mmCIF file of all heavy atoms in Angstrom:
data_model
loop_
_atom_site.group_PDB
_atom_site.id
_atom_site.type_symbol
_atom_site.label_atom_id
_atom_site.label_comp_id
_atom_site.label_asym_id
_atom_site.label_seq_id
_atom_site.Cartn_x
_atom_site.Cartn_y
_atom_site.Cartn_z
ATOM 1 N N ASP D 122 5.218 132.306 -156.348
ATOM 2 C CA ASP D 122 6.428 131.653 -155.876
ATOM 3 C C ASP D 122 6.506 130.191 -156.305
ATOM 4 O O ASP D 122 7.256 129.399 -155.740
ATOM 5 C CB ASP D 122 6.508 131.714 -154.343
ATOM 6 C CG ASP D 122 5.283 131.078 -153.687
ATOM 7 O OD1 ASP D 122 4.317 130.750 -154.409
ATOM 8 O OD2 ASP D 122 5.308 130.914 -152.453
ATOM 9 N N ALA D 123 5.712 129.816 -157.329
ATOM 10 C CA ALA D 123 5.716 128.422 -157.770
ATOM 11 C C ALA D 123 7.054 128.070 -158.402
ATOM 12 O O ALA D 123 7.571 128.817 -159.228
ATOM 13 C CB ALA D 123 4.600 128.187 -158.794
ATOM 14 N N PRO D 124 7.661 126.945 -158.004
ATOM 15 C CA PRO D 124 8.919 126.531 -158.620
ATOM 16 C C PRO D 124 8.686 126.108 -160.058
ATOM 17 O O PRO D 124 7.561 125.764 -160.436
ATOM 18 C CB PRO D 124 9.337 125.321 -157.763
ATOM 19 C CG PRO D 124 8.048 124.811 -157.211
ATOM 20 C CD PRO D 124 7.186 126.002 -157.000
ATOM 21 N N PRO D 125 9.708 126.143 -160.906
ATOM 22 C CA PRO D 125 9.541 125.742 -162.294
ATOM 23 C C PRO D 125 9.060 124.295 -162.390
ATOM 24 O O PRO D 125 9.470 123.437 -161.619
ATOM 25 C CB PRO D 125 10.957 125.884 -162.883
ATOM 26 C CG PRO D 125 11.661 126.821 -161.952
ATOM 27 C CD PRO D 125 11.079 126.576 -160.594
ATOM 28 N N LEU D 126 8.165 124.046 -163.332
ATOM 29 C CA LEU D 126 7.678 122.698 -163.533
ATOM 30 C C LEU D 126 8.730 121.852 -164.235
ATOM 31 O O LEU D 126 9.448 122.329 -165.104
ATOM 32 C CB LEU D 126 6.409 122.722 -164.402
ATOM 33 C CG LEU D 126 5.165 123.352 -163.772
ATOM 34 C CD1 LEU D 126 4.058 123.382 -164.793
ATOM 35 C CD2 LEU D 126 4.743 122.600 -162.537
ATOM 36 N N ARG D 127 8.813 120.585 -163.875
ATOM 37 C CA ARG D 127 9.732 119.691 -164.557
ATOM 38 C C ARG D 127 9.279 119.487 -166.001
ATOM 39 O O ARG D 127 8.115 119.635 -166.336
ATOM 40 C CB ARG D 127 9.780 118.334 -163.841
ATOM 41 C CG ARG D 127 10.229 118.397 -162.403
ATOM 42 C CD ARG D 127 10.731 117.024 -161.951
ATOM 43 N NE ARG D 127 9.818 115.955 -162.307
ATOM 44 C CZ ARG D 127 8.939 115.415 -161.465
ATOM 45 N NH1 ARG D 127 8.848 115.885 -160.234
ATOM 46 N NH2 ARG D 127 8.151 114.429 -161.844
ATOM 47 N N ALA D 128 10.212 119.119 -166.857
ATOM 48 C CA ALA D 128 9.917 118.983 -168.279
ATOM 49 C C ALA D 128 8.914 117.876 -168.554
ATOM 50 O O ALA D 128 8.253 117.868 -169.586
ATOM 51 C CB ALA D 128 11.204 118.725 -169.051
ATOM 52 N N ASP D 129 8.788 116.907 -167.623
ATOM 53 C CA ASP D 129 7.932 115.758 -167.887
ATOM 54 C C ASP D 129 6.527 115.903 -167.312
ATOM 55 O O ASP D 129 5.764 114.937 -167.328
ATOM 56 C CB ASP D 129 8.577 114.492 -167.323
ATOM 57 C CG ASP D 129 8.760 114.552 -165.802
ATOM 58 O OD1 ASP D 129 8.580 115.646 -165.237
ATOM 59 O OD2 ASP D 129 9.082 113.512 -165.214
ATOM 60 N N VAL D 130 6.173 117.100 -166.812
ATOM 61 C CA VAL D 130 4.862 117.224 -166.177
ATOM 62 C C VAL D 130 3.738 117.025 -167.185
ATOM 63 O O VAL D 130 2.685 116.488 -166.848
ATOM 64 C CB VAL D 130 4.705 118.589 -165.460
ATOM 65 C CG1 VAL D 130 5.700 118.707 -164.338
ATOM 66 C CG2 VAL D 130 4.830 119.743 -166.436
ATOM 67 N N GLY D 131 3.919 117.460 -168.434
ATOM 68 C CA GLY D 131 2.900 117.248 -169.439
ATOM 69 C C GLY D 131 2.628 115.767 -169.639
ATOM 70 O O GLY D 131 1.475 115.341 -169.791
ATOM 71 N N HIS D 132 3.677 114.973 -169.603
ATOM 72 C CA HIS D 132 3.538 113.522 -169.738
ATOM 73 C C HIS D 132 2.738 112.950 -168.573
ATOM 74 O O HIS D 132 1.863 112.093 -168.776
ATOM 75 C CB HIS D 132 4.918 112.864 -169.790
ATOM 76 C CG HIS D 132 4.887 111.376 -169.609
ATOM 77 N ND1 HIS D 132 4.420 110.514 -170.590
ATOM 78 C CD2 HIS D 132 5.223 110.588 -168.549
ATOM 79 C CE1 HIS D 132 4.496 109.275 -170.148
ATOM 80 N NE2 HIS D 132 4.976 109.281 -168.928
ATOM 81 N N HIS D 133 3.001 113.408 -167.359
ATOM 82 C CA HIS D 133 2.283 112.904 -166.189
ATOM 83 C C HIS D 133 0.788 113.233 -166.275
ATOM 84 O O HIS D 133 -0.064 112.384 -165.972
ATOM 85 C CB HIS D 133 2.859 113.501 -164.908
ATOM 86 C CG HIS D 133 4.199 112.931 -164.536
ATOM 87 N ND1 HIS D 133 4.452 111.588 -164.505
ATOM 88 C CD2 HIS D 133 5.361 113.547 -164.170
ATOM 89 C CE1 HIS D 133 5.709 111.376 -164.134
ATOM 90 N NE2 HIS D 133 6.276 112.547 -163.934
ATOM 91 N N VAL D 134 0.461 114.464 -166.684
ATOM 92 C CA VAL D 134 -0.939 114.866 -166.786
ATOM 93 C C VAL D 134 -1.633 114.063 -167.876
ATOM 94 O O VAL D 134 -2.752 113.562 -167.686
ATOM 95 C CB VAL D 134 -1.059 116.377 -167.047
ATOM 96 C CG1 VAL D 134 -2.507 116.750 -167.352
ATOM 97 C CG2 VAL D 134 -0.565 117.179 -165.841
ATOM 98 N N ARG D 135 -0.990 113.919 -169.034
ATOM 99 C CA ARG D 135 -1.594 113.131 -170.121
ATOM 100 C C ARG D 135 -1.794 111.680 -169.696
ATOM 101 O O ARG D 135 -2.812 111.054 -170.030
ATOM 102 C CB ARG D 135 -0.712 113.205 -171.369
ATOM 103 C CG ARG D 135 -0.750 114.540 -172.089
ATOM 104 C CD ARG D 135 -0.116 114.433 -173.460
ATOM 105 N NE ARG D 135 1.279 114.037 -173.381
ATOM 106 C CZ ARG D 135 2.300 114.886 -173.271
ATOM 107 N NH1 ARG D 135 2.054 116.192 -173.203
ATOM 108 N NH2 ARG D 135 3.550 114.462 -173.213
ATOM 109 N N ASN D 136 -0.838 111.136 -168.964
ATOM 110 C CA ASN D 136 -0.946 109.759 -168.498
ATOM 111 C C ASN D 136 -2.128 109.602 -167.546
ATOM 112 O O ASN D 136 -2.899 108.632 -167.626
ATOM 113 C CB ASN D 136 0.361 109.350 -167.806
ATOM 114 C CG ASN D 136 0.477 107.845 -167.622
ATOM 115 O OD1 ASN D 136 -0.384 107.087 -168.044
ATOM 116 N ND2 ASN D 136 1.566 107.413 -167.000
ATOM 117 N N ALA D 137 -2.265 110.560 -166.628
ATOM 118 C CA ALA D 137 -3.386 110.503 -165.680
ATOM 119 C C ALA D 137 -4.719 110.655 -166.396
ATOM 120 O O ALA D 137 -5.696 109.954 -166.085
ATOM 121 C CB ALA D 137 -3.222 111.602 -164.626
ATOM 122 N N VAL D 138 -4.777 111.555 -167.364
ATOM 123 C CA VAL D 138 -6.004 111.756 -168.139
ATOM 124 C C VAL D 138 -6.378 110.480 -168.893
ATOM 125 O O VAL D 138 -7.542 110.057 -168.909
ATOM 126 C CB VAL D 138 -5.829 112.939 -169.114
ATOM 127 C CG1 VAL D 138 -6.921 112.937 -170.182
ATOM 128 C CG2 VAL D 138 -5.853 114.262 -168.349
ATOM 129 N N SER D 139 -5.393 109.841 -169.519
ATOM 130 C CA SER D 139 -5.653 108.595 -170.247
ATOM 131 C C SER D 139 -6.158 107.505 -169.311
ATOM 132 O O SER D 139 -7.066 106.739 -169.656
ATOM 133 C CB SER D 139 -4.377 108.136 -170.962
ATOM 134 O OG SER D 139 -3.964 109.078 -171.935
ATOM 135 N N TYR D 140 -5.570 107.446 -168.115
ATOM 136 C CA TYR D 140 -5.982 106.447 -167.130
ATOM 137 C C TYR D 140 -7.435 106.667 -166.712
ATOM 138 O O TYR D 140 -8.225 105.702 -166.630
ATOM 139 C CB TYR D 140 -5.055 106.518 -165.921
ATOM 140 C CG TYR D 140 -5.381 105.539 -164.825
ATOM 141 C CD1 TYR D 140 -5.067 104.182 -164.955
ATOM 142 C CD2 TYR D 140 -6.004 105.954 -163.652
ATOM 143 C CE1 TYR D 140 -5.369 103.274 -163.944
ATOM 144 C CE2 TYR D 140 -6.301 105.056 -162.640
ATOM 145 C CZ TYR D 140 -5.983 103.721 -162.793
ATOM 146 O OH TYR D 140 -6.289 102.830 -161.802
ATOM 147 N N MET D 141 -7.806 107.917 -166.476
ATOM 148 C CA MET D 141 -9.182 108.207 -166.065
ATOM 149 C C MET D 141 -10.167 107.941 -167.194
ATOM 150 O O MET D 141 -11.271 107.439 -166.961
ATOM 151 C CB MET D 141 -9.289 109.656 -165.571
ATOM 152 C CG MET D 141 -8.705 109.857 -164.181
ATOM 153 S SD MET D 141 -8.961 111.531 -163.541
ATOM 154 C CE MET D 141 -7.554 112.374 -164.271
ATOM 155 N N ASN D 142 -9.795 108.270 -168.425
ATOM 156 C CA ASN D 142 -10.677 108.008 -169.555
ATOM 157 C C ASN D 142 -10.904 106.518 -169.757
ATOM 158 O O ASN D 142 -11.963 106.097 -170.236
ATOM 159 C CB ASN D 142 -10.101 108.618 -170.832
ATOM 160 C CG ASN D 142 -10.265 110.124 -170.880
ATOM 161 O OD1 ASN D 142 -11.230 110.662 -170.347
ATOM 162 N ND2 ASN D 142 -9.328 110.817 -171.501
ATOM 163 N N ALA D 143 -9.913 105.707 -169.390
ATOM 164 C CA ALA D 143 -10.026 104.260 -169.568
ATOM 165 C C ALA D 143 -10.703 103.570 -168.393
ATOM 166 O O ALA D 143 -11.311 102.508 -168.554
ATOM 167 C CB ALA D 143 -8.636 103.655 -169.794
ATOM 168 N N HIS D 144 -10.612 104.159 -167.192
ATOM 169 C CA HIS D 144 -11.081 103.475 -165.976
ATOM 170 C C HIS D 144 -12.167 104.252 -165.243
ATOM 171 O O HIS D 144 -12.392 103.999 -164.048
ATOM 172 C CB HIS D 144 -9.894 103.243 -165.030
ATOM 173 C CG HIS D 144 -8.862 102.305 -165.584
ATOM 174 N ND1 HIS D 144 -8.958 100.937 -165.469
ATOM 175 C CD2 HIS D 144 -7.716 102.555 -166.275
ATOM 176 C CE1 HIS D 144 -7.917 100.364 -166.047
ATOM 177 N NE2 HIS D 144 -7.146 101.325 -166.549
ATOM 178 N N TYR D 145 -12.872 105.155 -165.931
ATOM 179 C CA TYR D 145 -13.894 105.950 -165.253
ATOM 180 C C TYR D 145 -15.005 105.086 -164.661
ATOM 181 O O TYR D 145 -15.674 105.477 -163.702
ATOM 182 C CB TYR D 145 -14.492 106.973 -166.228
ATOM 183 C CG TYR D 145 -15.286 106.346 -167.360
ATOM 184 C CD1 TYR D 145 -16.633 106.069 -167.220
ATOM 185 C CD2 TYR D 145 -14.669 106.019 -168.558
ATOM 186 C CE1 TYR D 145 -17.362 105.477 -168.243
ATOM 187 C CE2 TYR D 145 -15.374 105.433 -169.589
ATOM 188 C CZ TYR D 145 -16.711 105.171 -169.430
ATOM 189 O OH TYR D 145 -17.422 104.582 -170.450
ATOM 190 N N ALA D 146 -15.234 103.901 -165.235
ATOM 191 C CA ALA D 146 -16.294 103.018 -164.737
ATOM 192 C C ALA D 146 -15.872 102.232 -163.499
ATOM 193 O O ALA D 146 -16.713 101.598 -162.856
ATOM 194 C CB ALA D 146 -16.730 102.056 -165.838
ATOM 195 N N ASP D 147 -14.581 102.264 -163.170
ATOM 196 C CA ASP D 147 -14.083 101.535 -162.005
ATOM 197 C C ASP D 147 -14.149 102.413 -160.755
ATOM 198 O O ASP D 147 -14.306 103.640 -160.837
ATOM 199 C CB ASP D 147 -12.637 101.089 -162.235
ATOM 200 C CG ASP D 147 -12.515 100.174 -163.442
ATOM 201 O OD1 ASP D 147 -13.496 99.464 -163.744
ATOM 202 O OD2 ASP D 147 -11.451 100.188 -164.089
ATOM 203 N N ARG D 148 -13.979 101.800 -159.610
ATOM 204 C CA ARG D 148 -13.994 102.550 -158.345
ATOM 205 C C ARG D 148 -12.591 103.096 -158.085
ATOM 206 O O ARG D 148 -11.847 102.609 -157.233
ATOM 207 C CB ARG D 148 -14.469 101.661 -157.211
ATOM 208 C CG ARG D 148 -15.880 101.130 -157.405
ATOM 209 C CD ARG D 148 -16.331 100.286 -156.228
ATOM 210 N NE ARG D 148 -16.488 101.099 -155.019
ATOM 211 C CZ ARG D 148 -16.893 100.598 -153.844
ATOM 212 N NH1 ARG D 148 -17.164 99.304 -153.733
ATOM 213 N NH2 ARG D 148 -17.005 101.386 -152.790
ATOM 214 N N ILE D 149 -12.217 104.108 -158.821
ATOM 215 C CA ILE D 149 -10.897 104.727 -158.673
ATOM 216 C C ILE D 149 -11.048 106.093 -158.018
ATOM 217 O O ILE D 149 -12.085 106.745 -158.114
ATOM 218 C CB ILE D 149 -10.159 104.872 -160.015
ATOM 219 C CG1 ILE D 149 -10.968 105.760 -160.984
ATOM 220 C CG2 ILE D 149 -9.905 103.501 -160.640
ATOM 221 C CD1 ILE D 149 -10.207 106.122 -162.253
ATOM 222 N N GLY D 150 -9.984 106.519 -157.337
ATOM 223 C CA GLY D 150 -9.942 107.828 -156.714
ATOM 224 C C GLY D 150 -8.574 108.446 -156.918
ATOM 225 O O GLY D 150 -7.744 107.952 -157.690
ATOM 226 N N LEU D 151 -8.329 109.532 -156.195
ATOM 227 C CA LEU D 151 -7.081 110.263 -156.358
ATOM 228 C C LEU D 151 -5.860 109.388 -156.068
ATOM 229 O O LEU D 151 -4.845 109.462 -156.774
ATOM 230 C CB LEU D 151 -7.082 111.491 -155.445
ATOM 231 C CG LEU D 151 -5.831 112.375 -155.492
ATOM 232 C CD1 LEU D 151 -5.585 112.895 -156.899
ATOM 233 C CD2 LEU D 151 -5.969 113.532 -154.506
ATOM 234 N N HIS D 152 -5.957 108.544 -155.034
ATOM 235 C CA HIS D 152 -4.818 107.708 -154.669
ATOM 236 C C HIS D 152 -4.451 106.761 -155.807
ATOM 237 O O HIS D 152 -3.267 106.599 -156.141
ATOM 238 C CB HIS D 152 -5.142 106.904 -153.410
ATOM 239 C CG HIS D 152 -4.042 105.966 -153.000
ATOM 240 N ND1 HIS D 152 -2.871 106.401 -152.405
ATOM 241 C CD2 HIS D 152 -3.925 104.611 -153.123
ATOM 242 C CE1 HIS D 152 -2.088 105.358 -152.182
ATOM 243 N NE2 HIS D 152 -2.702 104.254 -152.606
ATOM 244 N N GLU D 153 -5.449 106.125 -156.414
ATOM 245 C CA GLU D 153 -5.177 105.196 -157.508
ATOM 246 C C GLU D 153 -4.600 105.913 -158.721
ATOM 247 O O GLU D 153 -3.702 105.393 -159.397
ATOM 248 C CB GLU D 153 -6.461 104.463 -157.900
ATOM 249 C CG GLU D 153 -6.938 103.421 -156.909
ATOM 250 C CD GLU D 153 -7.666 104.046 -155.723
ATOM 251 O OE1 GLU D 153 -8.008 105.262 -155.799
ATOM 252 O OE2 GLU D 153 -7.872 103.339 -154.725
ATOM 253 N N ILE D 154 -5.092 107.105 -159.005
ATOM 254 C CA ILE D 154 -4.602 107.868 -160.163
ATOM 255 C C ILE D 154 -3.144 108.265 -159.945
ATOM 256 O O ILE D 154 -2.289 108.095 -160.828
ATOM 257 C CB ILE D 154 -5.473 109.116 -160.380
ATOM 258 C CG1 ILE D 154 -6.912 108.705 -160.683
ATOM 259 C CG2 ILE D 154 -4.911 109.959 -161.522
ATOM 260 C CD1 ILE D 154 -7.895 109.846 -160.618
ATOM 261 N N ALA D 155 -2.846 108.795 -158.747
ATOM 262 C CA ALA D 155 -1.470 109.206 -158.445
ATOM 263 C C ALA D 155 -0.528 108.018 -158.457
ATOM 264 O O ALA D 155 0.609 108.105 -158.938
ATOM 265 C CB ALA D 155 -1.427 109.922 -157.091
ATOM 266 N N GLU D 156 -0.986 106.900 -157.931
ATOM 267 C CA GLU D 156 -0.157 105.692 -157.912
ATOM 268 C C GLU D 156 0.143 105.218 -159.328
ATOM 269 O O GLU D 156 1.259 104.782 -159.627
ATOM 270 C CB GLU D 156 -0.870 104.592 -157.126
ATOM 271 C CG GLU D 156 -0.048 103.339 -156.906
ATOM 272 C CD GLU D 156 -0.775 102.325 -156.049
ATOM 273 O OE1 GLU D 156 -1.849 101.838 -156.495
ATOM 274 O OE2 GLU D 156 -0.302 102.031 -154.937
ATOM 275 N N HIS D 157 -0.829 105.322 -160.212
ATOM 276 C CA HIS D 157 -0.632 104.888 -161.600
ATOM 277 C C HIS D 157 0.455 105.699 -162.300
ATOM 278 O O HIS D 157 1.252 105.147 -163.065
ATOM 279 C CB HIS D 157 -1.946 105.002 -162.372
ATOM 280 C CG HIS D 157 -1.807 104.707 -163.835
ATOM 281 N ND1 HIS D 157 -1.682 103.429 -164.320
ATOM 282 C CD2 HIS D 157 -1.742 105.542 -164.909
ATOM 283 C CE1 HIS D 157 -1.560 103.472 -165.624
ATOM 284 N NE2 HIS D 157 -1.596 104.735 -166.018
ATOM 285 N N VAL D 158 0.489 107.019 -162.050
ATOM 286 C CA VAL D 158 1.472 107.864 -162.738
ATOM 287 C C VAL D 158 2.752 108.022 -161.922
ATOM 288 O O VAL D 158 3.698 108.683 -162.371
ATOM 289 C CB VAL D 158 0.878 109.245 -163.068
ATOM 290 C CG1 VAL D 158 -0.315 109.109 -163.988
ATOM 291 C CG2 VAL D 158 0.457 110.000 -161.800
ATOM 292 N N GLY D 159 2.788 107.453 -160.702
ATOM 293 C CA GLY D 159 4.006 107.487 -159.905
ATOM 294 C C GLY D 159 4.312 108.810 -159.257
ATOM 295 O O GLY D 159 5.486 109.186 -159.116
ATOM 296 N N LEU D 160 3.264 109.527 -158.840
ATOM 297 C CA LEU D 160 3.461 110.834 -158.214
ATOM 298 C C LEU D 160 2.747 110.898 -156.870
ATOM 299 O O LEU D 160 1.795 110.151 -156.613
ATOM 300 C CB LEU D 160 2.924 111.957 -159.117
ATOM 301 C CG LEU D 160 3.624 112.206 -160.441
ATOM 302 C CD1 LEU D 160 2.909 113.321 -161.182
ATOM 303 C CD2 LEU D 160 5.094 112.559 -160.236
ATOM 304 N N ASP D 161 3.198 111.813 -156.026
ATOM 305 C CA ASP D 161 2.496 112.142 -154.800
ATOM 306 C C ASP D 161 1.165 112.801 -155.156
ATOM 307 O O ASP D 161 1.065 113.550 -156.131
ATOM 308 C CB ASP D 161 3.358 113.094 -153.962
ATOM 309 C CG ASP D 161 2.615 113.618 -152.747
ATOM 310 O OD1 ASP D 161 2.529 112.885 -151.753
ATOM 311 O OD2 ASP D 161 2.119 114.763 -152.826
ATOM 312 N N THR D 162 0.129 112.544 -154.362
ATOM 313 C CA THR D 162 -1.198 113.073 -154.679
ATOM 314 C C THR D 162 -1.225 114.604 -154.715
ATOM 315 O O THR D 162 -1.850 115.199 -155.585
ATOM 316 C CB THR D 162 -2.237 112.568 -153.665
ATOM 317 O OG1 THR D 162 -1.814 112.911 -152.331
ATOM 318 C CG2 THR D 162 -2.417 111.064 -153.774
ATOM 319 N N LYS D 163 -0.526 115.247 -153.776
ATOM 320 C CA LYS D 163 -0.526 116.716 -153.742
ATOM 321 C C LYS D 163 0.155 117.293 -154.965
ATOM 322 O O LYS D 163 -0.300 118.292 -155.541
ATOM 323 C CB LYS D 163 0.158 117.213 -152.463
ATOM 324 C CG LYS D 163 -0.636 116.928 -151.186
ATOM 325 C CD LYS D 163 0.056 117.518 -149.974
ATOM 326 C CE LYS D 163 -0.759 117.264 -148.711
ATOM 327 N NZ LYS D 163 -0.093 117.819 -147.504
ATOM 328 N N TYR D 164 1.252 116.654 -155.389
ATOM 329 C CA TYR D 164 1.968 117.173 -156.561
ATOM 330 C C TYR D 164 1.123 116.972 -157.816
ATOM 331 O O TYR D 164 1.069 117.845 -158.686
ATOM 332 C CB TYR D 164 3.324 116.480 -156.710
ATOM 333 C CG TYR D 164 4.160 117.050 -157.832
ATOM 334 C CD1 TYR D 164 4.588 118.381 -157.796
ATOM 335 C CD2 TYR D 164 4.509 116.269 -158.934
ATOM 336 C CE1 TYR D 164 5.345 118.914 -158.817
ATOM 337 C CE2 TYR D 164 5.269 116.803 -159.968
ATOM 338 C CZ TYR D 164 5.684 118.119 -159.900
ATOM 339 O OH TYR D 164 6.422 118.655 -160.919
ATOM 340 N N LEU D 165 0.443 115.831 -157.908
ATOM 341 C CA LEU D 165 -0.420 115.591 -159.058
ATOM 342 C C LEU D 165 -1.539 116.634 -159.119
ATOM 343 O O LEU D 165 -1.855 117.142 -160.195
ATOM 344 C CB LEU D 165 -1.017 114.188 -158.991
ATOM 345 C CG LEU D 165 -1.966 113.817 -160.138
ATOM 346 C CD1 LEU D 165 -1.238 113.828 -161.471
ATOM 347 C CD2 LEU D 165 -2.608 112.460 -159.880
#
């Protein structure tokens, strides 16, 4: 019953991946990652 994904979801995932690859040495967590890409944590 999953609703269709928005067309920009690939962009959000790539953005989050790039952020983690760049900031893995920092004290980041799910909240910081979601905030960076502008999404709710559950949706991310």
Side-chain angles (χ1 to χ4, degrees):
D122 57 351
L126 292 176
R127 300 201 312 261
D129 62 349
V130 296
H132 167 73
H133 287 311
V134 172
R135 287 193 299 271
N136 195 2
V138 165
S139 297
Y140 180 75
M141 284 185 275
N142 285 328
H144 295 275
Y145 67 88
D147 300 331
R148 299 182 67 179
I149 60 171
L151 180 59
H152 177 75
E153 288 79 13
I154 298 168
E156 186 176 63
H157 174 76
V158 299
L160 294 178
D161 173 80
T162 56
K163 291 183 178 179
Y164 185 63
L165 179 63

